Short mmCIF file of all heavy atoms in Angstrom, two decimals:
data_model
loop_
_atom_site.label_atom_id
_atom_site.label_comp_id
_atom_site.label_asym_id
_atom_site.label_seq_id
_atom_site.Cartn_x
_atom_site.Cartn_y
_atom_site.Cartn_z
N GLU A 1 -19.90 -2.27 -6.20
CA GLU A 1 -19.83 -3.42 -5.16
C GLU A 1 -20.36 -4.71 -5.79
O GLU A 1 -21.06 -4.55 -6.82
CB GLU A 1 -20.66 -3.05 -3.89
CG GLU A 1 -22.17 -2.86 -4.24
CD GLU A 1 -23.12 -2.77 -3.03
OE1 GLU A 1 -22.58 -2.96 -1.95
OE2 GLU A 1 -24.28 -2.59 -3.27
N PRO A 2 -20.04 -5.87 -5.14
CA PRO A 2 -20.46 -7.14 -5.86
C PRO A 2 -21.90 -7.25 -6.24
O PRO A 2 -22.29 -7.90 -7.23
CB PRO A 2 -19.99 -8.18 -4.78
CG PRO A 2 -18.87 -7.54 -4.10
CD PRO A 2 -19.21 -6.09 -3.96
N ALA A 3 -22.76 -6.70 -5.38
CA ALA A 3 -24.23 -6.84 -5.72
C ALA A 3 -24.63 -6.23 -7.03
O ALA A 3 -25.75 -6.49 -7.41
CB ALA A 3 -25.00 -6.07 -4.59
N ALA A 4 -23.86 -5.41 -7.62
CA ALA A 4 -24.22 -4.66 -8.84
C ALA A 4 -23.84 -5.56 -10.02
O ALA A 4 -23.73 -5.03 -11.16
CB ALA A 4 -23.61 -3.31 -8.93
N TYR A 5 -23.35 -6.79 -9.83
CA TYR A 5 -22.86 -7.64 -10.88
C TYR A 5 -23.62 -8.96 -11.04
O TYR A 5 -24.10 -9.51 -10.03
CB TYR A 5 -21.37 -8.00 -10.70
CG TYR A 5 -20.43 -6.68 -10.82
CD1 TYR A 5 -20.34 -5.90 -9.63
CD2 TYR A 5 -19.79 -6.40 -12.00
CE1 TYR A 5 -19.48 -4.75 -9.74
CE2 TYR A 5 -19.13 -5.14 -12.11
CZ TYR A 5 -19.00 -4.37 -10.94
OH TYR A 5 -18.18 -3.28 -11.07
N LEU A 6 -23.88 -9.40 -12.34
CA LEU A 6 -24.57 -10.64 -12.59
C LEU A 6 -23.47 -11.70 -12.95
O LEU A 6 -22.58 -11.30 -13.80
CB LEU A 6 -25.52 -10.44 -13.78
CG LEU A 6 -26.82 -9.58 -13.65
CD1 LEU A 6 -26.52 -8.15 -13.98
CD2 LEU A 6 -27.88 -10.03 -14.61
N SER A 7 -23.69 -12.87 -12.47
CA SER A 7 -22.82 -13.95 -12.91
C SER A 7 -23.48 -15.25 -12.29
O SER A 7 -24.20 -15.26 -11.39
CB SER A 7 -21.52 -13.75 -12.12
OG SER A 7 -20.62 -14.88 -12.35
N GLU A 8 -23.15 -16.34 -12.95
CA GLU A 8 -23.61 -17.68 -12.40
C GLU A 8 -23.06 -17.84 -11.02
O GLU A 8 -23.69 -18.44 -10.18
CB GLU A 8 -23.01 -18.81 -13.34
CG GLU A 8 -23.77 -19.05 -14.57
CD GLU A 8 -25.03 -19.71 -14.54
OE1 GLU A 8 -25.08 -20.94 -14.07
OE2 GLU A 8 -26.11 -19.27 -15.00
N ASN A 9 -21.86 -17.34 -10.77
CA ASN A 9 -21.40 -17.33 -9.34
C ASN A 9 -21.21 -15.87 -8.87
O ASN A 9 -20.22 -15.27 -9.14
CB ASN A 9 -19.91 -18.00 -9.38
CG ASN A 9 -19.29 -17.91 -8.01
OD1 ASN A 9 -19.91 -17.50 -7.06
ND2 ASN A 9 -18.08 -18.31 -7.95
N PRO A 10 -22.20 -15.46 -8.17
CA PRO A 10 -22.18 -14.00 -7.81
C PRO A 10 -20.94 -13.67 -6.81
O PRO A 10 -20.65 -12.48 -6.60
CB PRO A 10 -23.52 -13.80 -7.11
CG PRO A 10 -24.08 -15.13 -6.75
CD PRO A 10 -23.39 -16.06 -7.73
N HIS A 11 -20.30 -14.69 -6.31
CA HIS A 11 -19.23 -14.44 -5.35
C HIS A 11 -17.93 -14.16 -5.99
O HIS A 11 -16.97 -13.67 -5.46
CB HIS A 11 -19.07 -15.61 -4.26
CG HIS A 11 -20.33 -15.85 -3.51
ND1 HIS A 11 -20.69 -14.93 -2.50
CD2 HIS A 11 -21.16 -16.89 -3.58
CE1 HIS A 11 -21.88 -15.44 -1.95
NE2 HIS A 11 -22.12 -16.55 -2.74
N PHE A 12 -17.79 -14.56 -7.37
CA PHE A 12 -16.54 -14.58 -8.00
C PHE A 12 -15.90 -13.15 -8.10
O PHE A 12 -14.74 -13.07 -7.81
CB PHE A 12 -16.69 -15.05 -9.47
CG PHE A 12 -15.47 -15.10 -10.21
CD1 PHE A 12 -14.66 -16.16 -10.19
CD2 PHE A 12 -15.21 -14.09 -11.08
CE1 PHE A 12 -13.36 -16.13 -10.83
CE2 PHE A 12 -13.94 -14.03 -11.90
CZ PHE A 12 -13.08 -15.17 -11.68
N CYS A 13 -16.69 -12.09 -8.34
CA CYS A 13 -16.14 -10.78 -8.44
C CYS A 13 -15.64 -10.27 -7.18
O CYS A 13 -14.92 -9.07 -7.23
CB CYS A 13 -17.12 -9.96 -9.14
SG CYS A 13 -18.63 -9.64 -8.18
N LYS A 14 -15.98 -10.74 -6.14
CA LYS A 14 -15.66 -10.06 -4.75
C LYS A 14 -14.15 -9.86 -4.53
O LYS A 14 -13.82 -8.72 -4.07
CB LYS A 14 -16.24 -10.82 -3.58
CG LYS A 14 -17.81 -10.90 -3.45
CD LYS A 14 -18.24 -11.80 -2.36
CE LYS A 14 -19.88 -11.63 -2.28
NZ LYS A 14 -20.33 -12.53 -1.24
N SER A 15 -13.33 -10.70 -4.74
CA SER A 15 -11.90 -10.59 -4.45
C SER A 15 -11.35 -9.50 -5.26
O SER A 15 -10.69 -8.54 -4.71
CB SER A 15 -11.21 -11.90 -4.73
OG SER A 15 -9.81 -11.71 -4.60
N ALA A 16 -11.50 -9.57 -6.52
CA ALA A 16 -10.81 -8.41 -7.45
C ALA A 16 -11.41 -7.06 -7.16
O ALA A 16 -10.60 -6.17 -7.08
CB ALA A 16 -11.08 -8.78 -8.93
N LEU A 17 -12.73 -6.93 -6.93
CA LEU A 17 -13.33 -5.62 -6.59
C LEU A 17 -12.76 -5.17 -5.36
O LEU A 17 -12.69 -3.92 -5.19
CB LEU A 17 -14.82 -5.69 -6.66
CG LEU A 17 -15.50 -5.93 -7.99
CD1 LEU A 17 -17.01 -6.29 -7.84
CD2 LEU A 17 -15.37 -4.83 -8.87
N ALA A 18 -12.51 -6.01 -4.39
CA ALA A 18 -12.06 -5.53 -3.15
C ALA A 18 -10.57 -5.13 -3.10
O ALA A 18 -10.10 -4.26 -2.43
CB ALA A 18 -12.20 -6.64 -2.05
N ARG A 19 -9.81 -5.86 -4.02
CA ARG A 19 -8.27 -5.53 -4.02
C ARG A 19 -7.94 -4.33 -4.94
O ARG A 19 -6.90 -3.68 -4.73
CB ARG A 19 -7.66 -6.78 -4.54
CG ARG A 19 -7.65 -7.87 -3.37
CD ARG A 19 -7.32 -9.19 -3.88
NE ARG A 19 -5.95 -9.23 -4.45
CZ ARG A 19 -5.64 -9.98 -5.56
NH1 ARG A 19 -6.66 -10.44 -6.35
NH2 ARG A 19 -4.48 -10.05 -5.88
N TYR A 20 -8.70 -4.03 -5.91
CA TYR A 20 -8.55 -2.80 -6.74
C TYR A 20 -9.82 -2.12 -6.91
O TYR A 20 -10.77 -2.55 -7.59
CB TYR A 20 -7.95 -3.20 -8.07
CG TYR A 20 -7.47 -1.88 -8.82
CD1 TYR A 20 -6.22 -1.23 -8.60
CD2 TYR A 20 -8.33 -1.12 -9.61
CE1 TYR A 20 -5.81 -0.17 -9.22
CE2 TYR A 20 -8.12 0.08 -10.29
CZ TYR A 20 -6.72 0.59 -10.08
OH TYR A 20 -6.28 1.73 -10.61
N THR A 21 -10.04 -1.08 -6.09
CA THR A 21 -11.34 -0.45 -6.02
C THR A 21 -11.58 0.72 -6.86
O THR A 21 -10.51 1.18 -7.55
CB THR A 21 -11.63 0.04 -4.52
OG1 THR A 21 -10.83 1.16 -4.24
CG2 THR A 21 -11.35 -1.09 -3.51
N GLN A 22 -12.78 1.28 -6.90
CA GLN A 22 -12.93 2.54 -7.66
C GLN A 22 -12.12 3.73 -7.19
O GLN A 22 -11.76 4.53 -7.88
CB GLN A 22 -14.58 2.93 -7.52
CG GLN A 22 -15.12 3.07 -6.12
CD GLN A 22 -15.71 1.79 -5.51
OE1 GLN A 22 -15.13 0.68 -5.69
NE2 GLN A 22 -16.90 1.91 -4.95
N TRP A 23 -11.84 3.64 -5.81
CA TRP A 23 -11.12 4.72 -5.26
C TRP A 23 -9.59 4.70 -5.80
O TRP A 23 -8.98 5.67 -5.94
CB TRP A 23 -11.02 4.70 -3.75
CG TRP A 23 -12.38 4.57 -3.24
CD1 TRP A 23 -13.02 3.46 -2.62
CD2 TRP A 23 -13.43 5.57 -3.25
NE1 TRP A 23 -14.35 3.62 -2.36
CE2 TRP A 23 -14.60 4.95 -2.75
CE3 TRP A 23 -13.58 6.86 -3.90
CZ2 TRP A 23 -15.90 5.56 -2.68
CZ3 TRP A 23 -14.80 7.51 -3.78
CH2 TRP A 23 -15.85 6.89 -3.23
N ASP A 24 -9.09 3.48 -6.06
CA ASP A 24 -7.79 3.30 -6.63
C ASP A 24 -7.74 3.93 -7.97
O ASP A 24 -6.87 4.53 -8.38
CB ASP A 24 -7.43 1.85 -6.64
CG ASP A 24 -7.22 1.26 -5.24
OD1 ASP A 24 -6.65 1.79 -4.40
OD2 ASP A 24 -7.81 0.13 -5.05
N PHE A 25 -8.75 3.54 -8.82
CA PHE A 25 -8.83 4.03 -10.22
C PHE A 25 -8.93 5.59 -10.17
O PHE A 25 -8.37 6.29 -10.96
CB PHE A 25 -9.95 3.32 -11.00
CG PHE A 25 -9.66 3.69 -12.46
CD1 PHE A 25 -8.86 3.04 -13.19
CD2 PHE A 25 -10.47 4.62 -13.16
CE1 PHE A 25 -8.55 3.27 -14.59
CE2 PHE A 25 -10.25 4.90 -14.49
CZ PHE A 25 -9.32 4.16 -15.18
N ILE A 26 -9.81 6.03 -9.31
CA ILE A 26 -10.02 7.55 -9.10
C ILE A 26 -8.63 8.15 -8.89
O ILE A 26 -8.30 9.30 -9.38
CB ILE A 26 -11.03 7.88 -8.24
CG1 ILE A 26 -12.46 7.51 -8.72
CG2 ILE A 26 -11.13 9.50 -7.81
CD1 ILE A 26 -13.52 7.36 -7.51
N ASP A 27 -7.89 7.56 -8.04
CA ASP A 27 -6.51 8.10 -7.64
C ASP A 27 -5.64 8.28 -8.91
O ASP A 27 -5.02 9.32 -9.12
CB ASP A 27 -5.74 7.23 -6.74
CG ASP A 27 -6.22 7.42 -5.24
OD1 ASP A 27 -6.99 8.42 -4.89
OD2 ASP A 27 -5.98 6.58 -4.35
N MET A 28 -5.74 7.27 -9.80
CA MET A 28 -4.93 7.39 -11.04
C MET A 28 -5.40 8.50 -11.95
O MET A 28 -4.67 9.23 -12.54
CB MET A 28 -4.93 6.04 -11.77
CG MET A 28 -4.03 5.96 -12.97
SD MET A 28 -3.63 4.43 -13.63
CE MET A 28 -5.23 3.99 -14.41
N VAL A 29 -6.75 8.52 -12.10
CA VAL A 29 -7.36 9.68 -12.96
C VAL A 29 -6.88 11.00 -12.38
O VAL A 29 -6.55 11.88 -13.06
CB VAL A 29 -8.97 9.49 -12.87
CG1 VAL A 29 -9.48 10.67 -13.46
CG2 VAL A 29 -9.33 8.22 -13.58
N ASN A 30 -6.90 11.12 -11.11
CA ASN A 30 -6.52 12.42 -10.42
C ASN A 30 -5.06 12.74 -10.65
O ASN A 30 -4.60 13.94 -10.86
CB ASN A 30 -6.75 12.40 -8.88
CG ASN A 30 -8.27 12.48 -8.63
OD1 ASN A 30 -9.04 12.95 -9.46
ND2 ASN A 30 -8.69 12.08 -7.52
N ARG A 31 -4.22 11.77 -10.67
CA ARG A 31 -2.77 11.81 -10.84
C ARG A 31 -2.47 12.34 -12.15
O ARG A 31 -1.55 13.12 -12.47
CB ARG A 31 -1.96 10.51 -10.64
CG ARG A 31 -1.62 10.02 -9.31
CD ARG A 31 -0.40 9.12 -9.25
NE ARG A 31 -0.41 7.94 -10.17
CZ ARG A 31 -1.23 6.95 -10.02
NH1 ARG A 31 -1.89 6.74 -8.97
NH2 ARG A 31 -1.12 5.89 -10.93
N TYR A 32 -3.32 12.11 -13.23
CA TYR A 32 -3.16 12.51 -14.52
C TYR A 32 -3.97 13.95 -14.81
O TYR A 32 -4.09 14.40 -15.85
CB TYR A 32 -3.70 11.47 -15.53
CG TYR A 32 -2.73 10.43 -15.93
CD1 TYR A 32 -2.46 9.38 -15.08
CD2 TYR A 32 -1.87 10.54 -17.02
CE1 TYR A 32 -1.40 8.48 -15.29
CE2 TYR A 32 -0.91 9.62 -17.31
CZ TYR A 32 -0.73 8.54 -16.48
OH TYR A 32 0.24 7.68 -16.82
N ASN A 33 -4.51 14.50 -13.68
CA ASN A 33 -5.11 15.72 -13.74
C ASN A 33 -6.32 15.70 -14.68
O ASN A 33 -6.54 16.75 -15.36
CB ASN A 33 -4.20 16.88 -14.05
CG ASN A 33 -3.14 17.04 -12.97
OD1 ASN A 33 -3.47 17.05 -11.79
ND2 ASN A 33 -1.92 17.20 -13.42
N ILE A 34 -7.03 14.67 -14.81
CA ILE A 34 -8.18 14.57 -15.61
C ILE A 34 -9.42 14.97 -14.74
O ILE A 34 -9.77 14.41 -13.73
CB ILE A 34 -8.46 13.04 -16.12
CG1 ILE A 34 -7.30 12.61 -17.08
CG2 ILE A 34 -9.78 13.03 -16.81
CD1 ILE A 34 -7.21 11.17 -17.32
N ALA A 35 -10.05 16.03 -15.26
CA ALA A 35 -11.23 16.57 -14.40
C ALA A 35 -12.41 15.74 -14.66
O ALA A 35 -12.61 15.18 -15.81
CB ALA A 35 -11.53 18.05 -14.92
N TRP A 36 -13.13 15.43 -13.61
CA TRP A 36 -14.29 14.66 -13.76
C TRP A 36 -15.49 15.03 -12.80
O TRP A 36 -15.37 15.92 -11.96
CB TRP A 36 -13.93 13.08 -13.27
CG TRP A 36 -13.28 12.90 -11.95
CD1 TRP A 36 -11.94 12.91 -11.80
CD2 TRP A 36 -13.84 12.72 -10.76
NE1 TRP A 36 -11.73 12.71 -10.46
CE2 TRP A 36 -12.80 12.59 -9.77
CE3 TRP A 36 -15.22 12.59 -10.26
CZ2 TRP A 36 -13.15 12.44 -8.45
CZ3 TRP A 36 -15.47 12.39 -8.92
CH2 TRP A 36 -14.40 12.34 -7.97
N HIS A 37 -16.62 14.48 -13.08
CA HIS A 37 -17.82 14.93 -12.24
C HIS A 37 -18.78 13.67 -12.04
O HIS A 37 -18.66 12.78 -12.87
CB HIS A 37 -18.62 16.02 -12.83
CG HIS A 37 -19.16 15.70 -14.30
ND1 HIS A 37 -18.33 15.60 -15.38
CD2 HIS A 37 -20.38 15.19 -14.71
CE1 HIS A 37 -19.04 15.33 -16.41
NE2 HIS A 37 -20.33 14.96 -16.06
N GLU A 38 -19.53 13.70 -10.97
CA GLU A 38 -20.40 12.74 -10.78
C GLU A 38 -21.83 13.18 -11.40
O GLU A 38 -22.27 14.21 -11.18
CB GLU A 38 -20.80 12.49 -9.26
CG GLU A 38 -21.78 11.37 -9.06
CD GLU A 38 -22.21 11.22 -7.57
OE1 GLU A 38 -21.65 11.89 -6.82
OE2 GLU A 38 -23.31 10.53 -7.28
N LYS A 39 -22.34 12.23 -12.31
CA LYS A 39 -23.60 12.66 -13.01
C LYS A 39 -24.81 12.30 -12.09
O LYS A 39 -25.40 13.19 -11.48
CB LYS A 39 -23.67 11.96 -14.35
CG LYS A 39 -24.51 12.74 -15.44
CD LYS A 39 -24.32 12.04 -16.79
CE LYS A 39 -25.23 12.61 -17.84
NZ LYS A 39 -25.02 12.01 -19.08
N THR A 40 -25.18 11.12 -12.13
CA THR A 40 -26.22 10.68 -11.15
C THR A 40 -25.87 9.30 -10.69
O THR A 40 -25.07 8.56 -11.28
CB THR A 40 -27.60 10.51 -11.90
OG1 THR A 40 -27.48 9.56 -12.97
CG2 THR A 40 -28.09 11.73 -12.55
N LEU A 41 -26.43 8.94 -9.56
CA LEU A 41 -26.27 7.51 -9.04
C LEU A 41 -24.78 7.03 -9.05
O LEU A 41 -24.51 5.95 -9.27
CB LEU A 41 -27.09 6.52 -9.80
CG LEU A 41 -28.65 6.91 -9.97
CD1 LEU A 41 -29.33 6.10 -10.99
CD2 LEU A 41 -29.34 6.77 -8.63
#
């Protein structure tokens, strides 16, 4: 989420992060049948 990013303009990353999210990338990883796990945090 945007709060986890440092920038002179902390608002800049909001649009891109909202339009292509971690869930979108996870979907692609799943489509390629790449097994993954959550480690911590």
